[in-house]
Amino acid sequence: MADGDQIALLLKAHEAGDRAAFDRLVPLVYDELRRIAHRHLRRGPRGATLDTTGLVHEAYLKLAGSPGLRLHDRGHLMAVTARAMRQVIVSRARARLARKRGGGEVMVTLDEERAGFKPSPEWLLDLDNALDRLRERDELLARVFECRFFAGLGEEETAEALGASLRTVQRAWMRARAWLRSELTGRLGA
């Protein structure tokens, strides 16, 4: 049986309530998850405490511990994983920010090329809050941003993960960035 067929069967089994199917599914997509995490982390600051394997494993633990987790297809799995990676990174930023109040230097692992600077934990938390507000306005824009920014997916990969057309993803990416830029600039008074 081809991996793609096996993945589809395991996703159906998981949807039907077979919780063990998720554990059998992860090894089949593990390399793909590592590539996503690696792309996201490769331009991060040196000395960060989160590496590719760590991000994949923390995202897995987050997903495996979700009792109502629904996975419709491979693309949906990648989109859900992108969201889990975002939550892991934001959670780490919150913890580091809390430690910072007691002293020490903070490094956050984000794609500097996309962000254009090394974001502070405060900025990352502002972004997380802005993404939550964006999700209330337009779920697709928030999901596209998560896939592109946090999981490092390309346009085609994001389209596949979300079951959308390439052009829809391109438009959503531009709109999401513009909305977030405006939202974050307005809140920061810059």
Side-chain angles (χ1 to χ4, degrees):
M1 178 182 304
D3 277 354
D5 295 337
Q6 191 175 7
I7 290 169
L9 287 174
L10 288 171
L11 284 166
K12 284 184 183 193
H14 182 265
E15 273 296 296
D18 180 0
R19 293 189 52 91
F22 184 73
D23 291 333
R24 294 189 311 269
L25 171 66
V26 172
L28 297 175
V29 295
Y30 186 77
D31 289 339
E32 190 172 353
L33 297 178
R34 280 187 52 80
R35 279 192 296 278
I36 290 169
H38 179 73
R39 272 194 308 253
H40 175 66
L41 297 173
R42 74 177 171 229
R43 291 185 192 94
R46 300 287 183 247
T49 60
L50 189 63
D51 63 3
T52 301
T53 302
L55 181 55
V56 171
H57 289 191
E58 286 197 36
Y60 164 78
L61 290 172
K62 186 166 198 54
L63 294 175
S66 300
L69 179 64
R70 297 284 224 220
L71 301 171
H72 308 296
D73 55 33
R74 183 186 198 123
H76 187 234
L77 170 64
M78 294 305 138
V80 168
T81 301
R83 180 177 293 171
M85 286 181 182
R86 168 190 165 204
Q87 292 168 346
V88 167
I89 290 168
V90 168
S91 176
R92 287 220 168 209
R94 281 191 179 112
R96 297 193 97 180
L97 184 59
R99 284 193 304 270
K100 178 183 175 190
R101 290 186 180 112
E105 188 172 279
V106 176
M107 286 193 241
V108 177
T109 306
L110 279 180
D111 188 338
E112 296 172 24
E113 180 178 274
R114 286 199 176 97
F117 64 97
K118 289 185 180 181
S120 67
E122 293 90 351
W123 181 88
L124 187 58
L125 295 179
D126 287 341
L127 174 62
D128 184 53
N129 291 329
L131 269 174
D132 289 340
R133 290 189 299 277
L134 178 59
R135 184 176 315 289
E136 291 171 9
R137 296 174 60 94
D138 192 319
E139 175 81 15
L140 178 65
L141 297 185
R143 292 179 68 200
V144 166
F145 190 86
E146 286 174 341
C147 287
R148 298 287 319 271
F149 188 83
F150 286 96
L153 297 180
E155 291 175 341
E156 294 85 8
E157 294 167 314
T158 300
E160 180 184 338
L162 299 179
S165 73
L166 178 60
R167 186 65 188 130
T168 296
V169 166
Q170 291 168 336
R171 283 191 302 264
W173 175 237
M174 289 188 308
R175 288 180 54 211
R177 287 183 309 162
W179 190 89
L180 287 166
R181 186 178 304 116
S182 172
E183 186 75 6
L184 291 171
T185 301
R187 293 208 176 265
L188 299 175

